Amino acid sequence: AQSVTQLGSHVSVSEGALVLLRCNYSSSVPPYLFWYVQYPNQGLQLLLKYTSAATLVKGINGFEAEFKKSETSFHLTKPSAHMSDAAEYFCAVSEGFGNEKLTFGTGTRLTIIP
Amino acid sequence: NAGVTQTPKFQVLKTGQSMTLQCAQDMNHNSMYWYRQDPGMGLRLIYYSASEGTTDKGEVPNGYNVSRLNKREFSLRLESAAPSQTSVYFCASMKSDRGSSGANVLTFGAGSRLTVL
C-alpha cells in the first residue's frame, strides 16, 4: 500500500527566505510523486510531478523537488519565498502508470512573514 | 475551458436528509474521483471511476454512493446525511493515457462545502 507523510502541518518563513516542505513516501513499487497547491477557497492545482525521469523536478512559480530513493523523500523547495506563496501544499503518491489512485498527505500550511 | 465543474458550491442539510453532488468534466478524461477534505486529514478518496461504467471504493466509502452517468459526469450521493459527513468535497478527473504529459495528473473542481446539522 502507498502512503505519504508530510512533516510539519504549519511552516512559517520570512519573505525572501528558503522554503522547504518535507514529504516522505512509502510505496511497494517505483512511485509517481506529486506536489499540489491549494489557495484559499479553491481546488488543488499541480505544482510539479516526478514520473521516473529526472530526479530533480522543476515546477511552476519557482518551486522544485528532488526524488531521493535512498531516503524515500520528495521534499519541495523554493529559494526565495514570496507573499503569494502562502497556501496549503499537499504531497501525493501513486504506484505508477496504471494505478489511478493518488494518496495524499495531510498537507502543510505555508505562511509567509513580511 | 470549464475543466471540472461541481454543483452545488454550498449546501446545508439536516441529519437524515439526502442529496446528490454533481460533477462534470469537459476534458475527455477517463478517470473521475470524489475526495473529501477535513482539517488535519488532508484529502481522502471516497470513490473513483477508472473508466465509464466502472466504480470502485476508496478509503472512506461508507455512507456514500456514486454513479458514473457517462464519460463526462460522476455524481456522489448521500442517502442519509450525518454530521460526520460535514466536509468539503472535491471532484477530480485524470487523463490516464500512457505517454501523455497529463497522465496521472488530477484536475480538481472548486469544491462543494457541505454542512450537516
Side-chain angles (χ1 to χ4, degrees):
Chain A
Q2 58 201 36
S3 67
V4 165
T5 301
Q6 291 184 241
L7 297 176
S9 58
H10 291 87
V11 171
S12 296
V13 302
S14 297
E15 191 175 13
L18 172 71
V19 175
L20 171 61
L21 304 183
R22 300 178 185 274
C23 173
N24 289 88
Y25 71 90
S26 172
S27 176
S28 57
V29 298
Y32 285 9
L33 293 160
F34 307 82
W35 277 99
Y36 283 82
V37 60
Q38 184 181 33
Y39 298 103
N41 300 314
Q42 296 186 24
L44 281 72
Q45 55 185 281
L46 181 72
L47 265 182
L48 49 81
K49 64 176 182 178
Y50 166 78
T51 56
S52 75
T55 57
L56 181 62
V57 181
K58 294 187 184 299
I60 62 172
N61 301 336
F63 284 93
E64 62 182 37
E66 186 172 9
F67 172 70
K68 292 187 176 181
K69 182 178 178 180
S70 61
E71 299 178 7
T72 61
S73 69
F74 191 58
H75 301 331
L76 181 71
T77 60
K78 182 174 180 178
S80 177
H82 294 166
M83 295 301 295
S84 60
D85 295 328
E88 190 154 21
Y89 293 79
F90 293 91
C91 184
V93 62
S94 75
E95 292 186 336
F97 180 81
N99 180 320
E100 283 85 7
K101 290 199 298 182
L102 266 69
T103 299
F104 284 84
T106 53
T108 298
R109 184 168 299 278
L110 177 64
T111 299
I112 310 299
I113 303 166
Chain B
N1 282 338
V4 178
T5 303
Q6 295 180 229
T7 56
K9 293 189 185 303
F10 300 94
Q11 184 73 50
V12 179
L13 293 176
K14 295 181 180 178
T15 297
Q17 288 185 317
S18 63
M19 76 158 298
T20 299
L21 298 175
Q22 306 286 355
C23 176
Q25 53 92 7
D26 63 359
M27 298 169 287
N28 201 35
H29 285 175
N30 297 322
S31 305
M32 297 186 73
Y33 305 78
W34 278 105
Y35 285 89
R36 59 177 290 173
Q37 182 179 25
D38 302 289
M41 305 194 75
L43 276 79
R44 293 180 292 168
L45 182 63
I46 304 171
Y47 271 94
Y48 71 105
S49 170
S51 61
E52 185 179 355
T54 68
T55 61
D56 286 285
K57 295 179 180 179
E59 183 183 355
V60 289
N62 291 345
Y64 304 94
N65 286 301
V66 290
S67 295
R68 182 75 183 265
L69 304 170
N70 48 54
K71 191 171 186 179
R72 290 187 64 249
E73 298 173 289
F74 188 42
S75 63
L76 178 71
R77 182 161 178 84
L78 288 69
E79 291 290 352
S80 179
S84 61
Q85 294 177 305
T86 294
S87 187
V88 180
Y89 292 86
F90 287 98
C91 178
S93 68
M94 178 191 290
K95 184 180 179 66
S96 50
D97 298 331
R98 183 184 291 274
S100 165
S101 63
N104 285 80
V105 174
L106 287 170
T107 300
F108 283 85
S112 298
R113 185 175 295 275
L114 174 65
T115 301
V116 183
L117 302 175

